[in-house]
Amino acid sequence: MTTKQASNPGSAGTLITVAPTGAEADKKKHPPLPVTIEELVATARDCEAAGASVIHVHIRDDEARPTLDLVRLKDTVQALRENSTLIVQLSTGGAVTDSYEDRLAVLDAAPDGCSLTCGTVNFGDDVFMNPWPFIRELYERTKERKVVPEFELFDLGHVATLNRLLDEMGEPHGGHVHCDLVMGVPGGMNGDTASLVRAVEALPAGATWSATGIGRATLPVIFSALSAGGHLRVGMEDTTSYARGRPVASNAELVQRAASLAELMQRPPMRPYQARAFLGVNDHN
Ligand code: KMH
Ligand code: ZN
């Protein structure tokens, strides 16, 4: 297996993305989940100090329900930029109930980056819809708006679709392809080393990648990704449990754990300015 990291600046370090909120976790059941702009800003500061360089953002409304309200998205991007140097990546996946139109409009909030999922996937009892015409339209808009996409891959078929997308539509804004393997979703690829290796082997030449394991796949995927030369995404979007029977106390502790393991691998966390060069993200700060 090739690690596909060699020629990219910052490849000696580890990119750590924090996904602090997501669209699924319930604030009532998980009080440390950041749902207000103030909570997101405090989370961003703490996670930057702990070693994160990217924040993957979902927002909530006043009742802590997922929303793609454009005013709130813009306010969130601004607040995060004013209070941290993290790369602000907005979710275009939203919640399974969000319309394609609202998901495309996320780019109007002018983030540094956005997620772009490369295919439909069963998502627990739901379906996360990403048909080919929607993927193409979203990709086109990232280029128009100069937003750097991160390709979210929940399954091996999504890797094939990413290759097709790049073949047909060319390279992304920023010129570099970075992916996130989202592993262990009920309906997607398993969160284990064999699945990770198969997905990484199928990535386009020159692509770099992070991996995230959902729920109990969190730790196996961190160790597999680090050993295979990959980067990490952690956060309460992906797990609300720190260890068996021990709920997550804060997103920062998940980042701290990932950063310690990256240090142990002698690939310390990238600082945000290094991550900007690595991902091809413009400097807004
Ligand atoms: N909430 C999931 C349905 C993304 O952020 O782009 C989709 C998701 C992926 O979280
Ligand atoms: Zn997300």
Side-chain angles (χ1 to χ4, degrees), residues 54-121:
V54 179
I55 184 165
H56 168 83
V57 180
H58 289 251
I59 60 165
R60 301 292 180 99
D61 67 13
D62 290 340
E63 274 76 50
R65 293 173 305 212
T67 176
L68 292 178
D69 179 77
L70 197 50
V71 172
R72 196 174 286 235
L73 280 171
K74 286 180 180 166
D75 290 347
T76 304
V77 171
Q78 189 185 344
L80 290 170
R81 287 218 178 106
E82 284 171 2
N83 291 285
S84 82
T85 66
L86 293 177
I87 294 168
V88 180
Q89 178 193 90
L90 289 183
S91 166
T92 63
V96 291
T97 45
D98 285 319
S99 68
Y100 298 131
E101 196 188 350
D102 287 350
R103 291 170 58 192
L104 291 169
V106 165
L107 298 193
D108 295 348
D112 300 310
C114 70
S115 54
L116 192 163
T117 299
C118 292
T120 294
V121 63

Short mmCIF file of all heavy atoms in Angstrom, two decimals, residues 54-121:
data_model
loop_
_atom_site.label_atom_id
_atom_site.label_comp_id
_atom_site.label_asym_id
_atom_site.label_seq_id
_atom_site.Cartn_x
_atom_site.Cartn_y
_atom_site.Cartn_z
N VAL A 54 -8.66 22.16 11.64
CA VAL A 54 -9.88 22.32 10.83
C VAL A 54 -11.07 22.07 11.74
O VAL A 54 -11.02 21.17 12.59
CB VAL A 54 -9.93 21.28 9.68
CG1 VAL A 54 -11.21 21.44 8.85
CG2 VAL A 54 -8.69 21.37 8.78
N ILE A 55 -12.14 22.87 11.54
CA ILE A 55 -13.39 22.58 12.24
C ILE A 55 -14.47 22.31 11.20
O ILE A 55 -14.68 23.10 10.28
CB ILE A 55 -13.78 23.70 13.24
CG1 ILE A 55 -15.04 23.32 14.03
CG2 ILE A 55 -13.94 25.06 12.55
CD1 ILE A 55 -15.28 24.19 15.27
N HIS A 56 -15.11 21.14 11.32
CA HIS A 56 -16.20 20.73 10.43
C HIS A 56 -17.50 21.10 11.14
O HIS A 56 -17.81 20.56 12.20
CB HIS A 56 -16.09 19.22 10.17
CG HIS A 56 -17.30 18.64 9.52
ND1 HIS A 56 -17.52 18.68 8.15
CD2 HIS A 56 -18.38 17.98 10.03
CE1 HIS A 56 -18.65 18.07 7.86
NE2 HIS A 56 -19.21 17.64 8.99
N VAL A 57 -18.24 22.02 10.53
CA VAL A 57 -19.32 22.69 11.28
C VAL A 57 -20.71 22.30 10.78
O VAL A 57 -21.03 22.43 9.59
CB VAL A 57 -19.16 24.23 11.15
CG1 VAL A 57 -20.27 24.95 11.90
CG2 VAL A 57 -17.79 24.68 11.66
N HIS A 58 -21.54 21.86 11.73
CA HIS A 58 -23.00 21.79 11.56
C HIS A 58 -23.57 22.78 12.58
O HIS A 58 -23.04 22.89 13.68
CB HIS A 58 -23.55 20.42 11.94
CG HIS A 58 -23.21 19.32 10.99
ND1 HIS A 58 -24.13 18.73 10.17
CD2 HIS A 58 -22.04 18.67 10.76
CE1 HIS A 58 -23.55 17.75 9.46
NE2 HIS A 58 -22.27 17.71 9.82
N ILE A 59 -24.65 23.45 12.21
CA ILE A 59 -25.24 24.38 13.18
C ILE A 59 -26.61 23.89 13.63
O ILE A 59 -27.22 23.03 12.98
CB ILE A 59 -25.33 25.83 12.61
CG1 ILE A 59 -26.20 25.87 11.36
CG2 ILE A 59 -23.94 26.39 12.36
CD1 ILE A 59 -26.63 27.28 10.98
N ARG A 60 -27.05 24.44 14.73
CA ARG A 60 -28.36 24.10 15.32
C ARG A 60 -29.18 25.38 15.49
O ARG A 60 -28.61 26.48 15.60
CB ARG A 60 -28.15 23.42 16.68
CG ARG A 60 -27.30 22.13 16.65
CD ARG A 60 -28.01 21.00 15.93
NE ARG A 60 -27.21 19.78 15.91
CZ ARG A 60 -27.39 18.74 16.75
NH1 ARG A 60 -28.29 18.81 17.70
NH2 ARG A 60 -26.63 17.66 16.64
N ASP A 61 -30.50 25.21 15.58
CA ASP A 61 -31.37 26.37 15.81
C ASP A 61 -31.53 26.62 17.32
O ASP A 61 -30.86 25.98 18.14
CB ASP A 61 -32.72 26.20 15.09
CG ASP A 61 -33.56 25.06 15.67
OD1 ASP A 61 -33.24 24.56 16.77
OD2 ASP A 61 -34.54 24.66 15.01
N ASP A 62 -32.44 27.53 17.67
CA ASP A 62 -32.59 27.90 19.09
C ASP A 62 -33.08 26.73 19.95
O ASP A 62 -32.92 26.75 21.16
CB ASP A 62 -33.56 29.08 19.23
CG ASP A 62 -32.94 30.36 18.69
OD1 ASP A 62 -31.70 30.42 18.58
OD2 ASP A 62 -33.70 31.29 18.34
N GLU A 63 -33.67 25.74 19.30
CA GLU A 63 -34.11 24.54 20.05
C GLU A 63 -33.08 23.40 19.92
O GLU A 63 -33.40 22.25 20.23
CB GLU A 63 -35.47 24.05 19.54
CG GLU A 63 -36.66 24.73 20.19
CD GLU A 63 -36.86 26.13 19.65
OE1 GLU A 63 -36.89 26.27 18.42
OE2 GLU A 63 -36.94 27.08 20.46
N ALA A 64 -31.90 23.73 19.41
CA ALA A 64 -30.81 22.74 19.24
C ALA A 64 -31.10 21.70 18.17
O ALA A 64 -30.49 20.63 18.17
CB ALA A 64 -30.44 22.09 20.58
N ARG A 65 -32.05 22.03 17.28
CA ARG A 65 -32.30 21.12 16.15
C ARG A 65 -31.40 21.50 14.98
O ARG A 65 -31.09 22.69 14.81
CB ARG A 65 -33.76 21.23 15.69
CG ARG A 65 -34.77 20.73 16.72
CD ARG A 65 -36.17 21.04 16.27
NE ARG A 65 -36.32 22.47 15.97
CZ ARG A 65 -37.43 23.18 16.14
NH1 ARG A 65 -38.52 22.59 16.58
NH2 ARG A 65 -37.47 24.47 15.84
N PRO A 66 -30.99 20.54 14.15
CA PRO A 66 -30.14 20.89 13.01
C PRO A 66 -30.84 21.85 12.06
O PRO A 66 -32.05 21.76 11.85
CB PRO A 66 -29.88 19.54 12.32
CG PRO A 66 -30.87 18.58 12.88
CD PRO A 66 -31.29 19.11 14.21
N THR A 67 -30.07 22.80 11.53
CA THR A 67 -30.63 23.78 10.58
C THR A 67 -29.55 24.14 9.57
O THR A 67 -28.35 23.97 9.85
CB THR A 67 -31.11 25.06 11.32
OG1 THR A 67 -31.56 26.01 10.35
CG2 THR A 67 -29.99 25.70 12.14
N LEU A 68 -29.99 24.65 8.41
CA LEU A 68 -29.04 25.21 7.44
C LEU A 68 -29.37 26.67 7.21
O LEU A 68 -29.13 27.21 6.13
CB LEU A 68 -29.08 24.41 6.13
CG LEU A 68 -28.55 22.97 6.19
CD1 LEU A 68 -28.69 22.28 4.83
CD2 LEU A 68 -27.10 22.93 6.66
N ASP A 69 -29.94 27.32 8.22
CA ASP A 69 -30.30 28.73 8.11
C ASP A 69 -29.08 29.55 7.68
O ASP A 69 -28.05 29.55 8.37
CB ASP A 69 -30.83 29.22 9.46
CG ASP A 69 -31.19 30.68 9.40
OD1 ASP A 69 -32.25 31.01 8.85
OD2 ASP A 69 -30.37 31.51 9.86
N LEU A 70 -29.24 30.27 6.57
CA LEU A 70 -28.08 30.91 5.96
C LEU A 70 -27.51 32.05 6.80
O LEU A 70 -26.29 32.23 6.89
CB LEU A 70 -28.44 31.40 4.55
CG LEU A 70 -27.28 31.72 3.63
CD1 LEU A 70 -26.24 30.60 3.56
CD2 LEU A 70 -27.81 32.04 2.24
N VAL A 71 -28.40 32.80 7.45
CA VAL A 71 -27.92 33.91 8.29
C VAL A 71 -27.09 33.34 9.44
O VAL A 71 -25.98 33.82 9.74
CB VAL A 71 -29.11 34.74 8.83
CG1 VAL A 71 -28.64 35.75 9.85
CG2 VAL A 71 -29.85 35.41 7.68
N ARG A 72 -27.58 32.28 10.04
CA ARG A 72 -26.86 31.68 11.16
C ARG A 72 -25.54 31.06 10.68
O ARG A 72 -24.53 31.11 11.38
CB ARG A 72 -27.74 30.64 11.85
CG ARG A 72 -27.24 30.24 13.21
CD ARG A 72 -28.23 29.32 13.91
NE ARG A 72 -29.40 30.04 14.40
CZ ARG A 72 -29.83 30.02 15.66
NH1 ARG A 72 -29.19 29.34 16.57
NH2 ARG A 72 -30.91 30.68 16.02
N LEU A 73 -25.57 30.49 9.49
CA LEU A 73 -24.32 29.93 8.95
C LEU A 73 -23.28 31.03 8.76
O LEU A 73 -22.11 30.89 9.12
CB LEU A 73 -24.58 29.24 7.60
CG LEU A 73 -25.15 27.82 7.65
CD1 LEU A 73 -25.56 27.37 6.24
CD2 LEU A 73 -24.16 26.83 8.24
N LYS A 74 -23.73 32.17 8.18
CA LYS A 74 -22.79 33.28 7.95
C LYS A 74 -22.26 33.82 9.28
O LYS A 74 -21.06 34.10 9.41
CB LYS A 74 -23.49 34.41 7.17
CG LYS A 74 -23.71 34.08 5.72
CD LYS A 74 -24.41 35.23 5.01
CE LYS A 74 -24.63 34.88 3.54
NZ LYS A 74 -25.56 35.77 2.85
N ASP A 75 -23.15 33.99 10.24
CA ASP A 75 -22.73 34.49 11.56
C ASP A 75 -21.73 33.53 12.21
O ASP A 75 -20.77 33.95 12.87
CB ASP A 75 -23.94 34.65 12.49
CG ASP A 75 -24.84 35.80 12.07
OD1 ASP A 75 -24.40 36.61 11.22
OD2 ASP A 75 -25.98 35.87 12.57
N THR A 76 -21.96 32.25 12.01
CA THR A 76 -21.06 31.24 12.61
C THR A 76 -19.68 31.30 11.96
O THR A 76 -18.65 31.28 12.66
CB THR A 76 -21.67 29.84 12.45
OG1 THR A 76 -22.98 29.83 13.02
CG2 THR A 76 -20.81 28.78 13.11
N VAL A 77 -19.65 31.40 10.64
CA VAL A 77 -18.36 31.49 9.93
C VAL A 77 -17.60 32.72 10.43
O VAL A 77 -16.40 32.65 10.76
CB VAL A 77 -18.57 31.55 8.40
CG1 VAL A 77 -17.26 31.88 7.69
CG2 VAL A 77 -19.13 30.23 7.89
N GLN A 78 -18.31 33.84 10.53
CA GLN A 78 -17.65 35.08 10.98
C GLN A 78 -17.12 34.94 12.41
O GLN A 78 -15.97 35.30 12.70
CB GLN A 78 -18.65 36.23 10.90
CG GLN A 78 -18.01 37.58 11.13
CD GLN A 78 -19.04 38.71 11.16
OE1 GLN A 78 -20.18 38.55 10.72
NE2 GLN A 78 -18.65 39.85 11.70
N ALA A 79 -17.95 34.41 13.29
CA ALA A 79 -17.54 34.28 14.70
C ALA A 79 -16.34 33.34 14.83
O ALA A 79 -15.41 33.61 15.61
CB ALA A 79 -18.71 33.76 15.54
N LEU A 80 -16.34 32.26 14.08
CA LEU A 80 -15.20 31.32 14.17
C LEU A 80 -13.94 31.97 13.62
O LEU A 80 -12.85 31.80 14.17
CB LEU A 80 -15.53 30.03 13.41
CG LEU A 80 -16.60 29.15 14.08
CD1 LEU A 80 -17.05 28.02 13.15
CD2 LEU A 80 -16.08 28.57 15.40
N ARG A 81 -14.08 32.76 12.55
CA ARG A 81 -12.89 33.43 11.98
C ARG A 81 -12.33 34.48 12.94
O ARG A 81 -11.12 34.65 13.03
CB ARG A 81 -13.26 34.11 10.66
CG ARG A 81 -13.47 33.12 9.53
CD ARG A 81 -12.92 33.67 8.23
NE ARG A 81 -13.09 32.68 7.18
CZ ARG A 81 -14.01 32.78 6.22
NH1 ARG A 81 -14.81 33.82 6.14
NH2 ARG A 81 -14.09 31.83 5.30
N GLU A 82 -13.25 35.16 13.64
CA GLU A 82 -12.80 36.22 14.55
C GLU A 82 -12.13 35.68 15.80
O GLU A 82 -11.35 36.36 16.45
CB GLU A 82 -14.00 37.09 14.97
CG GLU A 82 -14.43 38.06 13.87
CD GLU A 82 -15.73 38.76 14.19
OE1 GLU A 82 -16.32 38.54 15.28
OE2 GLU A 82 -16.21 39.52 13.32
N ASN A 83 -12.46 34.44 16.14
CA ASN A 83 -12.01 33.92 17.44
C ASN A 83 -11.07 32.73 17.37
O ASN A 83 -10.69 32.19 18.41
CB ASN A 83 -13.24 33.53 18.28
CG ASN A 83 -14.02 34.75 18.71
OD1 ASN A 83 -13.61 35.48 19.60
ND2 ASN A 83 -15.13 35.01 18.03
N SER A 84 -10.73 32.31 16.17
CA SER A 84 -9.77 31.21 16.04
C SER A 84 -9.09 31.34 14.68
O SER A 84 -9.52 32.13 13.84
CB SER A 84 -10.47 29.85 16.14
OG SER A 84 -11.03 29.47 14.90
N THR A 85 -8.03 30.56 14.47
CA THR A 85 -7.43 30.53 13.14
C THR A 85 -7.73 29.20 12.45
O THR A 85 -7.12 28.87 11.43
CB THR A 85 -5.90 30.77 13.19
OG1 THR A 85 -5.27 29.68 13.86
CG2 THR A 85 -5.55 32.06 13.91
N LEU A 86 -8.65 28.45 13.01
CA LEU A 86 -9.02 27.17 12.39
C LEU A 86 -9.57 27.37 10.98
O LEU A 86 -10.22 28.39 10.70
CB LEU A 86 -10.10 26.47 13.23
CG LEU A 86 -9.72 25.99 14.62
CD1 LEU A 86 -10.94 25.38 15.31
CD2 LEU A 86 -8.59 24.97 14.56
N ILE A 87 -9.32 26.42 10.12
CA ILE A 87 -9.97 26.38 8.81
C ILE A 87 -11.43 26.03 9.04
O ILE A 87 -11.74 25.05 9.73
CB ILE A 87 -9.29 25.32 7.91
CG1 ILE A 87 -7.85 25.74 7.60
CG2 ILE A 87 -10.10 25.08 6.64
CD1 ILE A 87 -7.00 24.65 6.97
N VAL A 88 -12.34 26.86 8.49
CA VAL A 88 -13.77 26.65 8.73
C VAL A 88 -14.36 25.87 7.55
O VAL A 88 -14.45 26.39 6.43
CB VAL A 88 -14.51 27.98 8.93
CG1 VAL A 88 -15.99 27.73 9.17
CG2 VAL A 88 -13.90 28.75 10.10
N GLN A 89 -14.74 24.65 7.83
CA GLN A 89 -15.32 23.76 6.82
C GLN A 89 -16.80 23.55 7.17
O GLN A 89 -17.11 22.99 8.22
CB GLN A 89 -14.59 22.41 6.83
CG GLN A 89 -15.15 21.39 5.86
CD GLN A 89 -14.59 20.01 6.14
OE1 GLN A 89 -15.13 19.25 6.91
NE2 GLN A 89 -13.46 19.70 5.54
N LEU A 90 -17.69 24.05 6.31
CA LEU A 90 -19.12 23.85 6.58
C LEU A 90 -19.58 22.53 5.99
O LEU A 90 -19.16 22.13 4.90
CB LEU A 90 -19.94 24.99 5.96
CG LEU A 90 -19.84 26.36 6.63
CD1 LEU A 90 -20.79 27.35 5.93
CD2 LEU A 90 -20.17 26.31 8.12
N SER A 91 -20.48 21.89 6.72
CA SER A 91 -21.10 20.66 6.21
C SER A 91 -22.10 21.01 5.12
O SER A 91 -22.96 21.87 5.32
CB SER A 91 -21.84 19.93 7.33
OG SER A 91 -22.68 18.94 6.78
N THR A 92 -22.00 20.34 3.98
CA THR A 92 -23.08 20.42 2.97
C THR A 92 -23.94 19.17 3.05
O THR A 92 -24.85 19.00 2.24
CB THR A 92 -22.52 20.55 1.54
OG1 THR A 92 -21.78 19.37 1.24
CG2 THR A 92 -21.66 21.80 1.39
N GLY A 93 -23.61 18.30 4.01
CA GLY A 93 -24.41 17.10 4.19
C GLY A 93 -25.64 17.41 5.02
O GLY A 93 -26.73 16.88 4.79
N GLY A 94 -25.46 18.32 5.99
CA GLY A 94 -26.56 18.71 6.86
C GLY A 94 -27.15 17.51 7.57
O GLY A 94 -26.44 16.63 8.04
N ALA A 95 -28.48 17.48 7.63
CA ALA A 95 -29.21 16.35 8.21
C ALA A 95 -29.87 15.60 7.05
O ALA A 95 -30.06 16.17 5.98
CB ALA A 95 -30.26 16.85 9.19
N VAL A 96 -30.25 14.34 7.30
CA VAL A 96 -30.84 13.55 6.20
C VAL A 96 -32.14 14.16 5.68
O VAL A 96 -32.58 13.84 4.59
CB VAL A 96 -31.10 12.07 6.62
CG1 VAL A 96 -29.80 11.31 6.81
CG2 VAL A 96 -31.97 12.00 7.87
N THR A 97 -32.73 15.05 6.45
CA THR A 97 -34.00 15.68 6.07
C THR A 97 -33.80 16.97 5.25
O THR A 97 -34.77 17.54 4.76
CB THR A 97 -34.79 16.04 7.34
OG1 THR A 97 -33.87 16.63 8.28
CG2 THR A 97 -35.40 14.80 7.97
N ASP A 98 -32.56 17.44 5.10
CA ASP A 98 -32.34 18.72 4.39
C ASP A 98 -32.49 18.56 2.88
O ASP A 98 -32.12 17.53 2.31
CB ASP A 98 -30.95 19.27 4.73
CG ASP A 98 -30.89 19.85 6.12
OD1 ASP A 98 -31.85 20.54 6.52
OD2 ASP A 98 -29.89 19.60 6.82
N SER A 99 -32.99 19.63 2.24
CA SER A 99 -33.20 19.60 0.79
C SER A 99 -31.87 19.82 0.06
O SER A 99 -30.93 20.42 0.61
CB SER A 99 -34.19 20.70 0.38
OG SER A 99 -33.59 21.96 0.57
N TYR A 100 -31.81 19.38 -1.18
CA TYR A 100 -30.61 19.62 -1.99
C TYR A 100 -30.37 21.12 -2.14
O TYR A 100 -29.23 21.58 -2.10
CB TYR A 100 -30.76 18.99 -3.38
CG TYR A 100 -30.93 17.48 -3.36
CD1 TYR A 100 -31.95 16.87 -4.09
CD2 TYR A 100 -30.07 16.68 -2.63
CE1 TYR A 100 -32.10 15.49 -4.08
CE2 TYR A 100 -30.21 15.30 -2.60
CZ TYR A 100 -31.24 14.71 -3.33
OH TYR A 100 -31.39 13.35 -3.32
N GLU A 101 -31.45 21.85 -2.33
CA GLU A 101 -31.34 23.31 -2.53
C GLU A 101 -30.65 23.97 -1.32
O GLU A 101 -29.73 24.77 -1.47
CB GLU A 101 -32.76 23.86 -2.70
CG GLU A 101 -32.84 25.23 -3.29
CD GLU A 101 -34.28 25.74 -3.22
OE1 GLU A 101 -35.21 24.96 -2.91
OE2 GLU A 101 -34.44 26.94 -3.45
N ASP A 102 -31.12 23.63 -0.13
CA ASP A 102 -30.52 24.22 1.08
C ASP A 102 -29.07 23.78 1.25
O ASP A 102 -28.22 24.55 1.70
CB ASP A 102 -31.31 23.81 2.33
CG ASP A 102 -32.65 24.53 2.42
OD1 ASP A 102 -32.87 25.47 1.62
OD2 ASP A 102 -33.47 24.14 3.27
N ARG A 103 -28.78 22.55 0.88
CA ARG A 103 -27.40 22.05 1.01
C ARG A 103 -26.46 22.77 0.03
O ARG A 103 -25.31 23.07 0.36
CB ARG A 103 -27.39 20.53 0.83
CG ARG A 103 -28.06 19.79 1.99
CD ARG A 103 -28.27 18.32 1.70
NE ARG A 103 -27.02 17.65 1.40
CZ ARG A 103 -26.94 16.43 0.88
NH1 ARG A 103 -28.04 15.74 0.61
NH2 ARG A 103 -25.78 15.89 0.64
N LEU A 104 -26.96 23.05 -1.17
CA LEU A 104 -26.13 23.80 -2.13
C LEU A 104 -25.91 25.23 -1.65
O LEU A 104 -24.83 25.81 -1.84
CB LEU A 104 -26.82 23.82 -3.51
CG LEU A 104 -26.88 22.49 -4.25
CD1 LEU A 104 -27.82 22.60 -5.46
CD2 LEU A 104 -25.50 22.04 -4.70
N ALA A 105 -26.93 25.80 -1.01
CA ALA A 105 -26.87 27.21 -0.59
C ALA A 105 -25.88 27.43 0.55
O ALA A 105 -25.50 28.58 0.84
CB ALA A 105 -28.26 27.69 -0.18
N VAL A 106 -25.43 26.36 1.19
CA VAL A 106 -24.44 26.49 2.27
C VAL A 106 -23.21 27.27 1.79
O VAL A 106 -22.61 28.05 2.54
CB VAL A 106 -24.03 25.08 2.78
CG1 VAL A 106 -22.76 25.13 3.61
CG2 VAL A 106 -25.17 24.45 3.58
N LEU A 107 -22.87 27.09 0.51
CA LEU A 107 -21.66 27.76 0.00
C LEU A 107 -21.82 29.28 -0.01
O LEU A 107 -20.81 30.00 -0.05
CB LEU A 107 -21.32 27.25 -1.41
CG LEU A 107 -20.98 25.77 -1.52
CD1 LEU A 107 -20.36 25.47 -2.87
CD2 LEU A 107 -20.05 25.31 -0.42
N ASP A 108 -23.06 29.77 0.04
CA ASP A 108 -23.28 31.22 0.10
C ASP A 108 -22.76 31.82 1.40
O ASP A 108 -22.61 33.04 1.51
CB ASP A 108 -24.78 31.54 -0.05
CG ASP A 108 -25.31 31.14 -1.41
OD1 ASP A 108 -24.49 30.84 -2.30
OD2 ASP A 108 -26.54 31.10 -1.58
N ALA A 109 -22.48 31.00 2.39
CA ALA A 109 -21.91 31.51 3.64
C ALA A 109 -20.40 31.69 3.55
O ALA A 109 -19.75 32.08 4.53
CB ALA A 109 -22.26 30.56 4.80
N ALA A 110 -19.83 31.40 2.38
CA ALA A 110 -18.42 31.65 2.09
C ALA A 110 -17.44 31.05 3.12
O ALA A 110 -16.59 31.75 3.67
CB ALA A 110 -18.16 33.15 1.94
N PRO A 111 -17.55 29.75 3.35
CA PRO A 111 -16.57 29.10 4.24
C PRO A 111 -15.23 28.92 3.53
O PRO A 111 -15.15 29.11 2.31
CB PRO A 111 -17.22 27.74 4.51
CG PRO A 111 -17.96 27.44 3.23
CD PRO A 111 -18.49 28.78 2.76
N ASP A 112 -14.21 28.51 4.28
CA ASP A 112 -12.93 28.13 3.65
C ASP A 112 -13.08 26.84 2.87
O ASP A 112 -12.49 26.67 1.80
CB ASP A 112 -11.86 27.89 4.73
CG ASP A 112 -11.61 29.11 5.59
OD1 ASP A 112 -11.41 30.19 5.02
OD2 ASP A 112 -11.65 28.96 6.83
N GLY A 113 -13.80 25.92 3.47
CA GLY A 113 -13.94 24.60 2.88
C GLY A 113 -15.34 24.06 3.12
O GLY A 113 -16.13 24.66 3.88
N CYS A 114 -15.65 22.95 2.48
CA CYS A 114 -16.95 22.31 2.72
C CYS A 114 -16.78 20.81 2.52
O CYS A 114 -15.84 20.36 1.87
CB CYS A 114 -18.03 22.83 1.78
SG CYS A 114 -17.80 22.31 0.07
N SER A 115 -17.69 20.06 3.13
CA SER A 115 -17.71 18.62 2.88
C SER A 115 -18.46 18.37 1.58
O SER A 115 -19.35 19.14 1.20
CB SER A 115 -18.38 17.90 4.05
OG SER A 115 -19.67 18.45 4.30
N LEU A 116 -18.10 17.31 0.90
CA LEU A 116 -18.78 16.92 -0.35
C LEU A 116 -18.82 15.39 -0.38
O LEU A 116 -17.79 14.75 -0.61
CB LEU A 116 -18.02 17.49 -1.56
CG LEU A 116 -18.73 17.45 -2.91
CD1 LEU A 116 -18.06 18.40 -3.90
CD2 LEU A 116 -18.81 16.05 -3.51
N THR A 117 -19.97 14.84 -0.08
CA THR A 117 -20.08 13.38 0.02
C THR A 117 -20.30 12.78 -1.36
O THR A 117 -21.14 13.25 -2.13
CB THR A 117 -21.22 13.00 0.99
OG1 THR A 117 -20.91 13.53 2.27
CG2 THR A 117 -21.37 11.50 1.09
N CYS A 118 -19.55 11.73 -1.64
CA CYS A 118 -19.47 11.19 -3.01
C CYS A 118 -20.41 10.03 -3.27
O CYS A 118 -20.10 9.15 -4.07
CB CYS A 118 -18.02 10.81 -3.32
SG CYS A 118 -16.95 12.26 -3.43
N GLY A 119 -21.56 10.03 -2.62
CA GLY A 119 -22.54 8.99 -2.94
C GLY A 119 -23.58 8.82 -1.85
O GLY A 119 -23.39 9.22 -0.70
N THR A 120 -24.67 8.20 -2.24
CA THR A 120 -25.76 7.90 -1.30
C THR A 120 -25.34 6.73 -0.40
O THR A 120 -24.57 5.87 -0.81
CB THR A 120 -27.02 7.56 -2.11
OG1 THR A 120 -27.42 8.75 -2.80
CG2 THR A 120 -28.16 7.06 -1.25
N VAL A 121 -25.82 6.75 0.84
CA VAL A 121 -25.48 5.67 1.76
C VAL A 121 -26.63 5.46 2.74
O VAL A 121 -27.29 6.43 3.16
CB VAL A 121 -24.15 5.99 2.50
CG1 VAL A 121 -24.26 7.24 3.37
CG2 VAL A 121 -23.64 4.82 3.32
#
